[in-house]
Structure formats: C-alpha cells, structure tokens
Amino acid sequence: MALKGNLFWICSLAVLSSSAAQDETLPKNCSSQTQLLERLSADVKVALECGENLPSAQQSAALLLSLRNLADSLHKQQLKDCQSAEPKKCPEAEVPSNGGLLCVSVANNTYCKPLCNYGYDFGFIRSSRLFDVCTEQTGYKWSTQYIGGNKLAVCNKAPIRIGGAKSAYFPEDQDCLTTKSTSELHSSIITTFISELKKEGIEAELQDVCLLCG
Ligand SMILES: *[C@@H]1O[C@H](CO)[C@@H](O)[C@H](O)[C@H]1NC(C)=O
Ligand SMILES: *[C@@H]1O[C@H](CO)[C@@H](O)[C@H](O)[C@H]1NC(C)=O
C-alpha cells in the first residue's frame, strides 16, 4: 500500500512537472504541432507507466475523452497519409479495420495488398491472391472479391489464420500501427510487397509504397 502510494506521488510529480515545464513553451497555435505531439507522446508514455495510479475518476474520464478525440482525429489524418501515392485513375480502396493496406501506383495502375492484424483473419480465402489490382485491363476498377466496390478485404476476429498468405498478416505484437511507427518493420513489409509485385512483373519503387492502418 505504502509502495503504491509512493508510486502515485512519483508519477503525479512526473506528469505535473513535465506539464508545468511545457506551459511556458506551449504554442498558442498549431504551427508547431510536431513538437506538441512529440511532447504529448512522451507525456502519455509517462502516464502509461503510472498505470492504475492515475488521478481522480473525473480527471481520468476527462483524459480518456481527450485521448479518444485525439485518437479519432489522428486516425482520420493517418488515412490521408497516402495522398502523395494516391491512385491516378482508380478509386481509393477501403482500408480494412483491424488491419492495413499497402498500396502503390505504377503509371496509371494501382496495386493494393490488404493485411490483417494478429488475431484476425480474412473473410474470404485469398491465399493465392497476394494483392488486388486496378488497371487498364480491369477498366480502372478494383478486381475484388467484394463485387463492384472499393472494399478489398475484411479482417474478422479469428483464433486461427487460414484465409490469407503468410505475408498477409502482421505478426503478434506488431500490428499495423506498431509497424507503421517502427521504420525497420515498415521497410520490411514494403520490401516483401515489392518482391511479390516483381514476381508478377510489376516494378515498384520502395518510396512509392504507402501503408494505411484501418
Ligand atoms: C504561432 O506559433 C509560432 C511558433 O511558436 C510563432 O512564431 C507565431 O508567431 C505564432 N502565430 C500566432 C498567430 O500566434
Ligand atoms: C495515363 O493516363 C493518361 C490520361 O488518360 C494518359 O495520357 C497516359 O498516357 C497514361 N499513361 C500510361 C502509362 O498508360
């Protein structure tokens, strides 16, 4: 109990002192949002280390609400990360929830590979279908198992993975966002995708591939 109490105070002080230090430098506008988000990210890590020793129920609820709104907003922004690599003639493909979508456009054609997070599986068998295509041959429409739309795949909660090829799943503890935020993991799945495209005679550049998380 005493230990827990002490931990609470150490953590509270850590959070308080870091936010006090910030108050002087806190931007009143969004022009230095990168720094703001870096500090916020660091503070949230400290708060996470404090675990259950968070302040009052009301403060917790307020924090939860802010974090939820921020998460929603960051998630929406993240879904626009591929605009530089966005398809020229094809409609944008839907990013599956509980997974991600790797896309690349080569000339006017677009290729996207859906991936599922660990613990999720594809709704349809697609083990020999590593990626979906939208080309001149398909009339610049997605040739998808979900007829006539821009939905390429869904990731359903499932204890075993049977629907997709081995490379179409994020490993345990390396879900889409973890992968996207870790440069080695990020380049590793992109390199795999590029070699899979190459086997089909499609030459894509590393820097043109973009990962979106659903
Ligand atoms: C916004 O913040 C930046 C950097 O802190 C500062 O240079 C700029 O003058 C601020 N703009 C306004 C309108 O306050
Ligand atoms: C892409 O589409 C544009 C506009 O229709 C066309 O001018 C161009 O030749 C196409 N590029 C290729 C590589 O097919």
Side-chain angles (χ1 to χ4, degrees), residues 89 107-108 136 140:
K89 293 201 155 184
N108 292 327
E136 193 179 357
Y140 296 117

Side-chain angles (χ1 to χ4, degrees), residues 119-132:
Y120 293 84
D121 198 11
F122 296 99
F124 281 124
I125 299 287
R126 52 174 300 132
S127 38
S128 59
R129 187 186 184 96
L130 287 171
F131 51 87
D132 295 274

